Amino acid sequence: MKLRRVVVTGLGALTPVGNNIQEYWNGLINGVSGAAPITHFDASKFKTQFACEVKNFNAEDFIDRKEVRRMDKYAQYALVASEEAIQDANFNMDQLDKDRVGVIWGSGIGGLETFQQEVIGYATGDGTPKFNPFFIPKMIADIAGGHISIKYGFRGPNFTTVSACASSTNALIDAFNYIRLGQADVIVAGGSEAAVTAAGMGGFNAMHALSTRNDDPKTASRPMDKDREGFVLGEGAGALVLEEYEHAIARGAKIYCEIGGGGMSADAHHITAPHPEGLGATNVMLNCLRDAGLQPTDVCGVNMHGTSTPLGDIAESKAILKVFGEHAYTMNLNSTKSMTGHLLGAAGAIEAIASILSIHHGMVPPTINHFTDDEEIDIKLNFTFNVAQKRDMKVVMSNTFGFGGHNACVLMKKLEL
């Protein structure tokens, strides 16, 4: 069968550097760090006392107060970002066949704050099981997609992908596949996470995964820098409206770009550490290129997973050199996690959005906080250090790698009529 083309017609973002698409893009281009001391809870006794939180957010500005109490923060973030994306897509809802519109969402953890609150409440009580009747619906990782579909009446494919930090990239790939295979005309895809909690920070601290640069949070996320020491936890959501090309053209939609392909792979190596030679990362990028029917030389840039971890950045850099060879030195590489921190299951969504906006605006966001070269990383590669760069970005890849060795990569390209 002939595969249908898939385009992006709507974007929405709620991030540590901006609470909508325009603010998010401005924050990225201007190299703004979203890291600051934690305000969600008292972190004074934690090894890491800072994170990239969403700022100045009041859920009741967007969602009815009664409904807010029935949602974990990760679902609230999902609804807000998806509303912006759906409005941006500018549908005539009366003419939209909602049986052909789906929601595929990604979250690595789901309602962690809800789970934490309910367990603490039981553990500190008298042993009587007094749980919130919304405990389970608030906590489960699939409920965000359910809320989105209920709000808009979208009755097409609806499920959640869970692959740790690759979750929302997997959601985008699944949405892309369902549309090009004819199973849907439109899918709202993306991801959300709200893990800046005592349990989230404590758990990642126990793994020694986080930066502990408490004296200077804004420079703590420093991908590819010699003195990187761990990632900075972030939170928020990103939403994209994926639409079949002819469907979008027929209604006169604004089109940001075309989805070219998606790739997936597994490291099959370790539960948290990447393969030291970047084997899984190499395979996922090759799989993505193969799916898109493109050559390595067609790619202008890669939004790297780039978490600012000692092992991860080296492995990904090695993989890029294996995949792209000499062409790697002509590309723009960047890590927007240097500004947003690591949004875990939502990372793929907001980073795909950053890649799409780089195509749309002809500008590559920087990798901030580079101070010292690492002799284990080829510094001749253009990591777009510290300052945004202008460039006609015709094809961009976005990488995400999750605990468990889950790898996902999505490729976006300028629309070719």
Side-chain angles (χ1 to χ4, degrees), residues 366-416:
T367 304
I368 68 168
N369 296 329
H370 181 72
F371 306 102
T372 307
D373 293 344
D374 185 341
E375 59 273 10
E376 294 191 64
I377 294 176
D378 192 338
I379 201 59
K380 294 193 295 295
L381 293 168
N382 180 8
F383 292 108
T384 323
F385 283 137
N386 297 324
V387 179
Q389 294 178 14
K390 291 183 179 180
R391 179 168 181 167
D392 183 12
M393 301 296 284
K394 295 180 179 178
V395 179
V396 182
M397 297 174 71
S398 183
N399 285 343
T400 46
F401 313 138
F403 283 172
H406 309 295
N407 307 306
C409 174
V410 63
L411 181 146
M412 286 73 63
K413 60 182 183 179
K414 274 192 174 181
L415 181 67
E416 297 174 357

Side-chain angles (χ1 to χ4, degrees), residues 105-237:
W105 206 250
S107 186
I109 300 176
L112 182 60
E113 184 174 45
T114 294
F115 188 87
Q116 174 186 299
Q117 289 172 345
E118 293 296 315
V119 171
I120 289 174
Y122 175 69
T124 57
D126 61 4
T128 303
K130 297 177 181 178
F131 289 90
N132 188 315
F134 291 98
F135 171 29
I136 300 302
K138 287 175 69 175
M139 176 198 70
I140 52 180
D142 71 298
I143 204 67
H147 280 300
I148 296 167
S149 69
I150 291 167
K151 179 175 180 178
Y152 297 100
F154 297 155
R155 295 181 292 270
N158 191 299
F159 59 90
T160 289
T161 53
V162 180
S163 49
C165 307
S167 295
S168 52
T169 302
N170 278 124
L172 294 176
I173 293 169
D174 277 0
F176 169 60
N177 284 331
Y178 271 80
I179 294 172
R180 67 174 172 170
L181 290 171
Q183 299 298 309
D185 296 325
V186 177
I187 294 182
V188 179
S192 57
E193 207 79 89
V196 183
T197 69
M201 297 299 297
F204 283 116
N205 265 158
M207 296 172 62
H208 303 286
L210 298 178
S211 168
T212 56
R213 206 178 297 274
N214 294 312
D215 59 335
D216 194 8
K218 291 190 179 302
T219 69
S221 183
R222 46 179 74 186
M224 275 60 73
D225 188 87
K226 182 177 181 178
D227 296 321
R228 66 192 182 280
E229 44 151 9
F231 71 83
V232 177
L233 188 59
E235 62 171 1

Side-chain angles (χ1 to χ4, degrees), residues 57-353:
F57 175 76
N58 180 7
E60 293 178 14
D61 291 341
F62 306 93
I63 307 167
D64 180 78
R65 179 182 298 180
K66 184 178 179 181
E67 292 302 312
V68 167
R69 293 198 299 269
R70 297 175 177 178
M71 295 181 194
D72 186 87
K73 197 178 294 180
Y74 102 97
Q76 296 170 16
Y77 291 168
L79 272 180
V80 172
S82 61
E83 180 177 2
E84 183 184 12
I86 291 165
Q87 289 181 353
D88 187 35
N90 197 29
F91 292 110
N92 182 332
M93 288 294 187
D94 294 332
Q95 296 180 359
L96 193 62
D97 182 356
K98 294 182 181 179
D99 290 339
R100 301 279 300 171
V101 182
V103 181
I104 302 179
W105 206 250
S107 186
I109 300 176
L112 182 60
E113 184 174 45
T114 294
F115 188 87
Q116 174 186 299
Q117 289 172 345
E118 293 296 315
V119 171
I120 289 174
Y122 175 69
T124 57
D126 61 4
T128 303
K130 297 177 181 178
F131 289 90
N132 188 315
F134 291 98
F135 171 29
I136 300 302
K138 287 175 69 175
M139 176 198 70
I140 52 180
D142 71 298
I143 204 67
H147 280 300
I148 296 167
S149 69
I150 291 167
K151 179 175 180 178
Y152 297 100
F154 297 155
R155 295 181 292 270
N158 191 299
F159 59 90
T160 289
T161 53
V162 180
S163 49
C165 307
S167 295
S168 52
T169 302
N170 278 124
L172 294 176
I173 293 169
D174 277 0
F176 169 60
N177 284 331
Y178 271 80
I179 294 172
R180 67 174 172 170
L181 290 171
Q183 299 298 309
D185 296 325
V186 177
I187 294 182
V188 179
S192 57
E193 207 79 89
V196 183
T197 69
M201 297 299 297
F204 283 116
N205 265 158
M207 296 172 62
H208 303 286
L210 298 178
S211 168
T212 56
R213 206 178 297 274
N214 294 312
D215 59 335
D216 194 8
K218 291 190 179 302
T219 69
S221 183
R222 46 179 74 186
M224 275 60 73
D225 188 87
K226 182 177 181 178
D227 296 321
R228 66 192 182 280
E229 44 151 9
F231 71 83
V232 177
L233 188 59
E235 62 171 1
L240 300 85
V241 174
L242 273 59
E243 188 168 354
E244 193 271 325
Y245 171 72
E246 297 293 346
H247 188 276
I249 291 296
R251 67 181 189 88
K254 169 181 81 264
I255 296 176
Y256 285 100
C257 71
E258 183 171 3
I259 303 294
M264 295 172 282
S265 76
D267 276 13
H269 171 69
H270 190 272
I271 59 172
T272 57
H275 189 283
E277 297 302 316
L279 179 60
T282 299
N283 287 341
V284 79
M285 286 185 279
L286 289 173
N287 291 341
C288 187
L289 286 168
R290 190 177 301 113
D291 187 50
L294 296 177
Q295 298 300 315
T297 51
D298 293 321
V299 179
C300 302
V302 178
N303 190 320
M304 299 175 65
H305 187 56
T307 55
S308 183
T309 54
L311 298 178
D313 292 359
I314 293 172
E316 187 173 10
S317 299
K318 287 180 178 178
I320 287 171
L321 283 165
K322 288 178 183 177
V323 171
F324 295 99
E326 288 299 313
H327 179 66
Y329 298 105
T330 72
M331 300 192 304
N332 272 84
L333 311 175
N334 68 328
S335 172
T336 47
K337 287 187 182 73
S338 60
M339 296 171 278
T340 65
H342 192 351
L343 270 65
L344 307 179
I350 68 162
E351 289 162 21
I353 290 170

